[in-house]
Amino acid sequence: MRLLTLAPRLLFVAGAAALTAGVVLHAGRGGTAEHVAAGLLTGYLGWLLLEAPVTFRRAAAPPADARTLLPYALARLLLVVSASLGPLPWDGWSPWLLAPAAAFTAGVALRQAAIRALGRFYSHHVMRQDGHRVVTSGLYGIVRHPAYAGMLLAHIGFTCFFLTPAGVAALLLLAVAVAWRIRGEERALWDVPGYAHYAAGKPRVLPKVW
């Protein structure tokens, strides 16, 4: 169980190392596409650093379902390693490569906005905290889990840019792990006053889909 709860921290260390190596490798190869790839990897590294205080924050209570952390962390690590160390699938630069880069940027921005809206109630663990209340305004007035929606959007863009078989497999594993975590999170939050009523009228991550 301790290993499972440490998974995000292990991801941070291994992922940061892989991303740093990837930035150096892609920047050294030359060409516009390789330079954009290095910039995208730098952006992902910055994203990890931005969430580092939450990643290394000691949980105030035992996680409700730590089992979801391992596949979640492994999926992200596999995706990062495949992008950092593998060759680009593109022969050269195309303006179309800006589309997945923009999706990555939008996903990270969406996630950070959702995290700020939750404030101290946000955690990388599936758990309830003292005084937990339901946030229903802003992004949470559109979907129940905008932070996860941003996470998935960012990784879809990231995967489409680097487009490796391992990356696609990692993205599918990440989607399954996120869905698993959402189920566990909702079980943990269902007894929070007002959550059941709020959840009844809102999609989880994508309106009219799920």
Side-chain angles (χ1 to χ4, degrees):
M1 183 62 73
R2 180 172 175 78
L3 175 62
L4 293 177
T5 58
L6 286 175
R9 300 172 190 182
L10 297 175
L11 162 70
F12 179 90
V13 175
L19 287 164
T20 301
V23 170
V24 174
L25 287 173
H26 284 286
R29 288 172 181 164
T32 303
E34 294 286 358
H35 289 159
V36 174
L40 203 57
L41 292 170
T42 301
Y44 200 117
L45 180 59
W47 178 17
L48 281 187
L49 294 174
L50 188 61
E51 294 195 19
V54 179
T55 301
F56 288 93
R57 181 194 302 163
R58 184 179 294 276
D65 189 359
R67 292 172 300 172
T68 63
L69 287 173
L70 189 56
Y72 176 81
L74 287 176
R76 291 190 66 182
L77 181 59
L78 177 59
L79 211 161
V80 161
V81 169
S82 67
S84 297
L85 306 182
L88 288 180
W90 319 109
D91 294 330
W93 169 251
S94 168
W96 287 106
L97 294 179
L98 293 175
F104 171 79
T105 303
V108 173
L110 173 60
R111 179 171 172 82
Q112 295 310 307
I115 289 173
R116 285 195 299 272
L118 281 184
R120 72 178 183 88
F121 296 118
Y122 178 77
S123 172
H124 285 170
H125 295 295
V126 177
M127 57 183 285
R128 287 179 58 175
Q129 300 185 38
D130 292 339
H132 214 119
R133 62 179 178 82
V134 181
V135 177
T136 61
S137 59
L139 294 170
Y140 288 88
I142 303 173
V143 294
R144 283 182 253 172
H145 303 282
Y148 286 129
M151 164 73 71
L152 291 172
L153 176 60
H155 282 94
I156 289 171
F158 193 79
T159 302
C160 288
F161 185 92
F162 291 97
L163 206 59
T164 65
V168 173
L171 179 64
L172 295 175
L173 176 59
L174 180 64
V176 172
V178 166
W180 188 12
R181 285 179 63 78
I182 286 174
R183 296 287 191 183
E185 185 173 309
E186 291 187 337
R187 285 194 298 269
L189 296 176
W190 205 257
D191 292 334
V192 173
Y195 188 81
H197 176 74
Y198 162 74
K202 296 290 184 298
R204 290 181 174 90
V205 294
L206 188 62
K208 301 186 183 301
V209 177
W210 189 62

